[in-house]
Amino acid sequence: MKAHDVALGRAVERAQAGEEAAFAEAYRIVHPGLLGYLRGMVGQDAEDVASDAWLEIARDLGRFRGDGAGFRGWTATIARHRALDHLRRVRSRPRHDLFDQDVLELPAQRDTAGEAMETLSTGRVLGLVAGLPREQAEAVLLRVVVGLDGPTAARVLGKRPGAVRSAAHRGLKRLANQLRGGDR
Amino acid sequence: MRRGRARDDDHESDAAAEALRAALRPNQSVSENEAQHAVAAFRAARDAGLHAGSGAPRTRRRDDWRPATGRRIGLWPKAALIALVSGMTLGSVAIATGKLPNPLPDLPERRPEPGVSTPVSTSPEDVTAFPSSEEDNASASPSQSAPSTAPVRETSVPGPTESEQVPPGAAKSHEALCRAYEQRTGHAGGASDATALRRLVEAAGGKEAVPGYCEKLTGGSKAPDKTVPEARAGGQDHRRNPSEGKEAPADRR
């Protein structure tokens, strides 16, 4: 991750100087995490929301100040705002309704956590994430899927680092319990 | 390598994190179409001069993700300077207003000085002068805060009527304290303000000195308003005071 961040920081710098290939490189480094985060947030609409977010990132690149890790935080903040806008638009159709069925169909009991993990589909994971309280789900997604460190995730969420750390901890614990088929 | 970021020693939480990443992050390489879309937007913005030059938009606070340490180092001296300046300001105001510990041994020595310089009344003059030297210590006016006797003389000599008719603020407050003290000694169960009482004891120079101090103070401040005998009596009869509009609010304490 650290090496990645250094490479990302250099790419962003060159992109800000106008180098197109450098922007494409930054995109390739950052996009998978952003898309994973957006999948957790808005499900199947993630690609569209990510596309909107990248338009904004490309437009505002000149405003950004910071290194590679900062660029992850900045882009995650933009993606999050786009996702929240999207959720407001589709509020009439809450996202967890899409996945409740998957949650119910989870395998009841597994011998080991690892065995259960291997068989998990994206839909089931989304269902589990959707079942978490919002702040836990977001903290887990930003820390685990986007790969932000604690303080950066806290800034993205506008919360104290301690609160985000414990939310991520509790969210992961709950996910692990559910994956194990335990009683939460 | 992201495993450590889960900050969770629980193996299962690590496994859950791994499952999340595997399920949510796209397996296949980034869609070339989407990437081209983003790069095209980048090109358009760059060519429109949005990324650099005079047309570039300003960096807002939410766009500044430079490491916090760099910014904080810049903030610390500023914060320290603000704290120092405000501390000195408040401290000097506190000294000027006499809120900080007061060298009480000064009071008896300086009391006769203005008394001699006050030419108006005969018997209560010491008492009248005493509050004005009190004001010297306790008022916020910087011109009167010098410990020399010269300013005191200046305030009492040119306008004796003024300095006598308008009792100094500090003397007023001590007077009110005195009345509260007398009331308290009168009615044992009365509500008392411990801090105020302590201030009064400090001003008088000791607990035993409080009655004498109060007698002088209340007698002296009334002297200009009333005739001398009445003022003398006022030292004992504090009930007369609420009828004096000017002192009524202080008396209510």
Side-chain angles (χ1 to χ4, degrees):
Chain A
M1 182 56 70
K2 284 275 176 255
H4 246 112
D5 279 352
V6 172
L8 177 58
R10 276 201 291 266
V12 169
E13 218 171 288
R14 285 186 287 130
Q16 285 183 311
E19 198 179 312
E20 203 174 299
F23 184 76
E25 187 186 342
Y27 179 94
R28 275 192 293 273
I29 294 173
V30 170
H31 183 67
L34 279 192
L35 189 60
Y37 166 68
L38 290 173
R39 281 177 174 164
M41 289 286 286
V42 301
Q44 59 194 1
D45 297 329
E47 302 269 355
D48 289 345
V49 175
S51 185
D52 284 352
W54 275 107
L55 291 185
E56 187 173 335
I57 292 165
R59 187 194 68 204
D60 287 347
L61 185 67
R63 297 181 189 262
F64 170 74
R65 296 284 177 276
D67 56 9
F71 189 72
R72 282 185 199 279
W74 184 66
T75 51
T77 305
I78 291 174
R80 177 169 189 261
H81 288 156
R82 294 281 72 80
L84 295 178
D85 284 349
H86 178 82
L87 289 175
R88 272 193 284 272
R89 278 199 299 273
V90 298
R91 184 159 287 168
S92 56
R93 188 190 51 161
R95 62 184 179 133
H96 50 263
D97 286 357
L98 299 173
F99 306 112
D100 276 352
Q101 204 53 35
D102 290 318
V103 177
L104 295 176
E105 287 171 2
L106 269 181
Q109 198 73 39
R110 293 280 176 164
D111 288 342
T112 67
E115 191 183 337
M117 310 283 170
E118 287 166 18
T119 65
L120 284 176
S121 69
T122 300
R124 280 186 176 143
V125 169
L126 286 177
L128 292 178
V129 171
L132 293 177
R134 164 65 76 75
E135 76 268 14
Q136 289 184 17
E138 282 209 82
V140 167
L141 289 169
L142 288 175
R143 295 293 310 276
V144 170
V145 179
V146 182
L148 300 181
D149 60 24
T152 306
R155 184 174 169 187
V156 171
L157 294 172
K159 297 197 164 139
R160 286 180 296 105
V164 173
R165 197 188 320 126
S166 72
H169 183 84
R170 277 182 280 122
L172 265 185
K173 199 121 192 130
R174 198 158 155 176
L175 281 180
N177 281 344
Q178 288 175 329
L179 288 172
R180 199 162 23 104
D183 51 350
R184 298 190 174 233
Chain B
M1 73 186 147
R2 276 194 203 100
R3 187 172 305 239
R5 287 180 180 274
R7 278 282 154 265
D8 198 329
D9 38 14
D10 189 347
H11 167 73
E12 286 177 354
S13 289
D14 279 355
E18 196 54 57
L20 262 186
R21 274 192 292 272
L24 295 186
R25 287 175 72 109
N27 298 329
Q28 76 281 18
S29 59
V30 168
S31 152
E32 201 52 39
N33 196 23
E34 286 295 318
Q36 285 311 313
H37 202 61
V39 170
F42 165 83
R43 203 184 304 124
R46 179 198 61 193
D47 295 347
L50 291 179
H51 290 171
S54 56
R58 243 168 13 94
T59 295
R60 302 155 297 189
R61 197 177 166 276
R62 68 171 190 251
D63 302 315
D64 189 353
W65 285 76
R66 282 173 289 193
T69 48
R71 278 177 282 148
R72 285 207 188 110
I73 284 170
L75 283 178
W76 269 112
K78 228 185 267 178
L81 190 66
I82 289 169
L84 184 69
V85 167
S86 57
M88 285 171 69
T89 308
L90 292 176
S92 50
V93 166
I95 289 170
T97 55
K99 294 290 194 263
L100 290 186
N102 197 359
L104 285 170
D106 278 355
L107 289 178
E109 292 170 20
R110 290 159 70 234
R111 190 161 64 90
E113 273 283 288
V116 170
S117 71
T118 309
V120 182
S121 50
T122 51
S123 70
E125 64 182 357
D126 287 21
V127 176
T128 313
F130 182 74
S132 42
S133 83
E134 257 301 299
E135 180 199 26
D136 185 29
N137 284 327
S139 85
S141 168
S143 71
Q144 294 177 347
S145 64
S148 85
T149 54
V152 177
R153 228 171 247 161
E154 275 169 26
T155 53
S156 56
V157 172
T161 48
E162 189 187 348
S163 74
E164 284 169 9
Q165 281 176 351
V166 180
K172 252 169 99 177
S173 75
H174 281 179
E175 213 181 306
L177 283 179
C178 279
R179 278 189 224 103
Y181 174 78
E182 286 165 13
Q183 264 174 351
R184 185 168 166 270
T185 52
H187 326 286
S192 70
D193 184 351
T195 315
L197 185 62
R198 187 162 41 77
R199 243 164 59 206
L200 185 62
V201 170
E202 273 175 18
K207 204 163 186 175
E208 317 78 44
V210 168
Y213 174 76
C214 282
E215 191 180 349
K216 281 171 186 169
L217 196 57
T218 51
S221 72
K222 259 190 289 287
D225 294 329
K226 307 284 174 183
T227 62
V228 171
E230 268 178 341
R232 277 295 177 205
Q236 276 84 32
D237 183 19
H238 58 268
R239 295 190 180 280
R240 186 188 304 274
N241 290 322
S243 65
E244 296 170 24
K246 200 174 288 176
E247 296 173 16
D251 188 64
R252 224 169 271 144
R253 283 157 49 93

